[in-house]
Amino acid sequence: MYKLYSMQRSGNSYKVRLALALLGVPYQAIEVDILSGESRTPEFLSKNPSGQVPLLEVEDGRYLAESNAILWYVTVGTSLAPASRIERAEALQWMFFEQHALEPNIGAAYFWLSLVKGGRDLQTHALEDWMERGYAALQVMENHLKTNAYFAAGQLTIADIALFGYTHVANQCDFDLDAFPAIGAWLRRVQQTPGFISMTCKPQTARSSTDAVASA
C-alpha cells in the first residue's frame, strides 16, 4: 500500500489525494504540517531533500516527489492517463502550464493569503504580480474551456486534476471566478465525477511525528 505524506490544505497534496480517490486506490495518509516545519526535519529531508509535500512512498525506502510526477505514476494504465501519444502530450502540456503559470501565482496567493497568518502583510509587494499573472492563466483556461469540456482527450484526465487543485480555491485568495463562466462549469463537472472528494475530506492519517512516521 502506498504511503502518502501530504498536508490537508495543500493544493498540490490534494491533487494526489483526489486522483487516488477517483481511482479507488487505498493508501496510508501521513499528515505533514509544513507551516510548523514538519517537512524540514532531518527525518523528512532524508526522504525528500527538497522538504516538500506531497511525497509518495511507492515501495519500502523508495519515494516519489512532485505532485504531477506522482499523478502520472499512480494513473498509468487507467482512464485518467491518456493512452495515445498526442493525448498524453496534450495532458503534459496542461500539467506544465499548471506548474509554470497557475501554481506560482494562484498557488502562491492561496498559500500566503489563506494559510499563513499575517501572510497578506508579508507579501504585499508580490500580490499585484500574482493577481495579474494568475488572471492571465485563468483566461487561457477559460478560452480553452469555451469549446472543450475538459483539458485533454475529451474526458477527465490528470490534466484536469492538476489544474483543479488550485483553481477551485482561487476565490479564497482574491480571485473573482465569476468572471470565468466556462471555468465555473468545468469545476462543477469535476466535482460531479463519481468518487470525487473535496480538499477538506480527511482520510485516516498518522501524524508526522517521529513515532508516527516510524510506525507508518
Side-chain angles (χ1 to χ4, degrees), residues 70-210:
I70 297 172
L71 286 180
W72 272 107
Y73 181 83
V74 301
T75 62
V76 168
T78 76
S79 63
L80 293 179
S84 75
R85 183 178 181 181
I86 182 61
E87 289 174 345
R88 286 197 302 269
E90 288 172 346
L92 279 170
Q93 167 186 286
W94 284 108
M95 294 172 81
F96 292 144
F97 171 84
E98 185 267 339
Q99 285 291 287
H100 76 71
L102 194 75
E103 195 272 348
N105 298 298
I106 296 178
Y110 169 73
F111 179 82
W112 286 101
L113 302 187
S114 297
L115 302 186
V116 177
K117 185 177 182 180
R120 183 181 296 274
D121 293 335
L122 292 171
Q123 296 294 330
T124 300
H125 63 287
L127 185 56
E128 184 176 347
D129 284 345
W130 289 340
M131 298 301 291
E132 179 181 355
R133 295 169 185 168
Y135 272 121
L138 290 171
Q139 190 60 60
V140 171
M141 295 170 61
E142 177 76 7
N143 291 342
H144 175 83
L145 290 168
K146 286 177 181 178
T147 55
N148 297 273
Y150 297 100
F151 282 95
Q155 64 179 56
L156 181 78
T157 69
I158 49 177
D160 299 281
I161 295 173
L163 289 161
F164 186 87
Y166 281 109
T167 302
H168 89 288
V169 293
N171 59 354
Q172 297 180 29
C173 51
D174 293 3
F175 290 91
D176 179 14
L177 289 181
D178 290 341
F180 303 97
I183 288 178
W186 166 74
L187 290 174
R188 290 188 291 273
R189 280 194 292 275
V190 174
Q191 291 164 339
Q192 292 165 2
T193 304
F196 174 86
I197 59 168
S198 69
M199 179 184 277
T200 58
C201 180
K202 292 186 177 182
Q204 291 186 346
T205 60
R207 291 299 304 164
S208 64
S209 65
T210 301

Side-chain angles (χ1 to χ4, degrees), residues 1 4 20 25 35 41 58 102 113 118 157 199 207:
M1 181 184 293
L4 176 64
L20 292 171
V25 175
L35 298 176
T41 65
V58 297
L102 194 75
L113 302 187
T157 69
M199 179 184 277
R207 291 299 304 164

